[in-house]
Amino acid sequence: MVDKNTTNSSQTKPTTLVPILIIASLFFIFGFVTWINGALIPFMKTINELTSAQSLLVASASYISFVVMALPASYILTKIGYKRGMSLGLFIMGFGALIFIPAAEARTYWMFLTGIFIQGAGMTLLQTASNPYITILGPIESAAKRISIMGICNKIAGALGSLIFGSILLSGIDEIQEKLAVVSVSEKNTLLNNMADSVVVPYISMAVVLFILGLLILKAPLPNVEATPIEETKEGETAKTSIFQFPHLWLGVLTLFMYVGVEVIAGDTIIAYGIALGFPADDAKFFTTFTLLAMVATYALGAFLIPKYITQALALKVSAVLGIILSFCIVFSSGFTSVLFVAGLGIANALVWPAVWPLTLNGLGKFTKTGAALLVMAISGGAVIPPLYGKFVDGTKADLIAQGISEVNATAAASTKGYWILLPCYIIILYYAISGHKVGLKKS
């Protein structure tokens, strides 16, 4: 007689491993694309002569697409399934990359933002498919472990993307900025046009890779998975009939909104912050990598600790408390020390996403896909909170200059004070970790 448990184990392991590797490759892709924004922000600020707030629309264009496309993405996935949805997402991202070519030729900011938005739309489809897929691919108790592994792929790709695009786009930017202050209008336009053209080759290469991967994913062996159904109600109890009957979901959406905002600030403002503090661009271009490597190390720790040693809720509590502490450290320090505290936010941020997803999707049953779409919409926090940081920096800088402080010192001081915006975000994350994730759920 064949041992039933042995047979199931041998069949399950490879069946699960291959999809995990495929999804990990997708996390690598949108990690690479997302985290090049840290280099794009100072690059766009220079070639389009923007304010801090305007330059942070790079992040807004990417993340606002999650609001616009999340529910349509959920609908698309119900029609064509996870695999085709992921493939379509890659094709859309490739098309967005191609928009950069005419945008560079015209050196027109709204065209760049359009390309970034289209890439964000493709990533929305990928995120809406891949996050719930990896969450329900195995036991919900170990979902944070699997998502942590995905996060390692995401952030390693982000570190590579930041370094590669930082080297390409920010090379010689300090010298160019010095020349812009003294050359004629025609010479300025020539310099900026040449600088804008540096995005053409990398984005053509990116588009080709995305189109090829989109074709390959159609052949990938991804099994169909569904969330565990909601338990049948006992006599006298009311069945859940609406997504609005899950308050822990809506609190989770708010939490993820705040989290993505602080994650984007930590990764996308740190290069510009270093430049504002007086560091050369050739040095500052590595700063996003500091944040991402801190996240990778913490993801690895989370994959080891969760759920064997600590729960997902405890990981979220520790992350929120550390984020609050680091927020104070940033604004009450200066120079490279302050930059390191911003990079340290990578440690505070790493386990928030892996913990919030399973805590929020827990108990949704047939509403899981809609809940996942709402969580993807919460990624729009990256579109809202960073520009608020930029507005705060611009306003504080103007006030300090009006008080007679030099522009250089005013820029540095305002950029540091802007990080106060992190504090309320981490407080909301802490609330969800302590009690918000349990609101409305049955006590076992």
Side-chain angles (χ1 to χ4, degrees), residues 15 31 37 43-44 84 103 124 131-132 172 202 229 274 280 301 308 315 317 337 366 371 385 392-393 434:
T15 304
N37 284 346
F43 175 79
M44 293 294 178
R84 290 180 180 176
T124 303
N131 280 288
L301 185 63
K308 187 174 182 179
K317 290 175 191 174
T337 302
K366 67 180 180 181
I385 297 175
F392 189 90
V393 170
I434 294 171

Side-chain angles (χ1 to χ4, degrees), residues 43 46 165-180 191-192 195 198 275 280-283 285:
F43 175 79
T46 299
F165 275 73
S167 298
I168 295 171
L169 303 183
L170 302 181
S171 177
I173 193 172
D174 294 325
E175 292 80 3
I176 291 173
Q177 288 175 336
E178 290 175 4
K179 290 179 181 177
L180 292 176
L191 282 171
L192 294 179
M195 189 176 177
S198 63
I275 293 172
D282 283 342
D283 294 336
K285 69 185 180 186

Side-chain angles (χ1 to χ4, degrees), residues 12 15-16 19-20 23 27 77 81-82 86 127-147 150 223-230 312 354 356-373 375:
T12 302
T15 304
T16 303
I20 286 177
I23 302 302
F27 272 79
L77 291 175
Y82 285 119
M86 293 173 190
Q127 293 268 22
T128 308
S130 59
N131 280 288
Y133 189 92
I134 199 68
T135 298
I136 61 182
L137 189 61
I140 194 72
E141 295 79 12
S142 60
K145 183 188 190 79
R146 293 189 297 278
I147 299 175
M150 300 303 104
N224 183 50
V225 295
E226 293 293 340
T228 303
I230 300 174
Q312 294 166 155
V356 169
W357 270 87
L359 289 174
T360 304
L361 295 182
N362 183 34
L364 296 187
K366 67 180 180 181
F367 297 105
T368 297
K369 286 180 181 176
T370 305
L375 283 172

Side-chain angles (χ1 to χ4, degrees), residues 87-110:
S87 178
L88 179 59
L90 290 166
F91 289 143
I92 293 172
M93 289 175 66
F95 177 70
L98 292 178
I99 298 294
F100 273 67
I101 287 81
E105 291 299 318
R107 196 161 56 84
T108 304
Y109 192 38
W110 70 264

Side-chain angles (χ1 to χ4, degrees), residues 110-122:
W110 70 264
M111 289 184 68
F112 281 115
L113 296 180
T114 300
I116 293 168
F117 176 85
I118 292 172
Q119 285 201 311

